[in-house]
């Protein structure tokens, strides 16, 4: 929701869009915080015209910068590496729930992700992102 506030997106829509990212797509893969941050970076630095090589290079560099900053703090981008268990394995998912690992770990990941995005976007005028031109805005009344 923090990125939604920065980018002028309805928080309910943002939460709904990112809902399937948690737990590394519920498989222990790339942390949902990382995936959500990449979505936010795409809104700010992404492109929507074929052949936008220059803008693609900018976005790629920003994603790599985020990944580096995140791994400096958490050693990996993978949910299963951070949590020590995979949500994609039912027995391990049960351990995560029983031990409260997600509840005790993930809020700090969200906070760190927001801090990294704040740092990266501090000089960027995020409100200049024209969300109304994005295809997703046309769907908000149906969601």
């Amino acid at each position: 929701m923090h990125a939604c506030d920065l980018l002028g997106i309805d928080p309910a829509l943002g939460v709904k869009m990112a809902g399937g990212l948690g737990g590394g797509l519920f498989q222990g893969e790339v942390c949902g915080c990382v995936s959500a941050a990449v979505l936010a970076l795409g809104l700010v630095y992404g492109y929507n015209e074929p052949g936008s090589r220059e803008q693609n290079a900018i976005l790629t560099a920003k994603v790599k910068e985020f990944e580096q900053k995140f791994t400096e703090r958490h050693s990996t981008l993978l949910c299963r590496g951070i949590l020590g268990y995979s949500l994609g394995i039912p027995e391990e998912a049960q351990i995560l729930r029983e031990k409260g690992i997600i509840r005790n770990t993930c809020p700090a990941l969200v906070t760190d992700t927001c801090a990294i995005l704040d740092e990266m976007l501090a000089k960027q005028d995020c409100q200049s992102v024209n969300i109304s031109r994005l295809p997703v805005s046309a769907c908000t009344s149906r969601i």
Side-chain angles (χ1 to χ4, degrees), residues 5 17 21 27 40-41 43 65-67 69 71 75 81-82 93 96-97 102-103 108 114 117 127-128 137 141:
D5 292 339
M17 280 187 339
L21 302 177
Q27 296 298 314
L41 291 171
L43 284 173
E65 179 184 348
F66 177 86
E67 290 172 344
K69 291 174 182 293
T71 55
S75 302
I82 295 167
L96 286 166
R97 283 190 291 279
I102 294 171
R103 183 180 58 248
C114 291
L117 283 174
Q127 294 304 318
S128 69
S137 66
S141 62

Side-chain angles (χ1 to χ4, degrees), residues 5-141:
D5 292 339
L6 284 174
L7 299 172
I9 299 171
D10 174 26
L13 176 62
V15 169
K16 199 165 194 174
M17 280 187 339
L21 302 177
L25 303 176
F26 307 110
Q27 296 298 314
E29 297 301 326
V30 174
C31 172
C33 290
V34 174
S35 297
V38 170
L39 288 175
L41 291 171
L43 284 173
V44 177
Y45 299 106
Y47 58 94
N48 59 2
E49 298 292 328
S52 300
R53 291 182 184 174
E54 183 178 323
Q55 199 60 38
N56 184 39
I58 292 169
L59 175 60
T60 300
K62 292 297 181 178
V63 170
K64 289 182 183 294
E65 179 184 348
F66 177 86
E67 290 172 344
Q68 178 184 356
K69 291 174 182 293
F70 190 89
T71 55
E72 284 172 2
R73 295 178 186 209
H74 302 287
S75 302
T76 182
L77 300 174
L78 298 180
C79 183
R80 68 178 175 266
I82 295 167
L83 299 176
Y85 299 94
S86 175
L87 283 166
I89 301 169
E91 299 80 15
E92 292 187 15
Q94 183 64 30
I95 294 169
L96 286 166
R97 283 190 291 279
E98 288 173 357
K99 291 187 174 186
I101 295 171
I102 294 171
R103 183 180 58 248
N104 294 323
T105 304
C106 295
L109 297 172
V110 172
T111 299
D112 285 347
T113 298
C114 291
I116 294 168
L117 283 174
D118 282 348
E119 176 186 323
M120 291 180 66
L121 299 176
K123 296 178 185 168
Q124 178 69 31
D125 178 15
C126 293
Q127 294 304 318
S128 69
V129 176
N130 187 353
I131 300 301
S132 64
R133 291 185 321 147
L134 299 173
V136 75
S137 66
C139 301
T140 55
S141 62

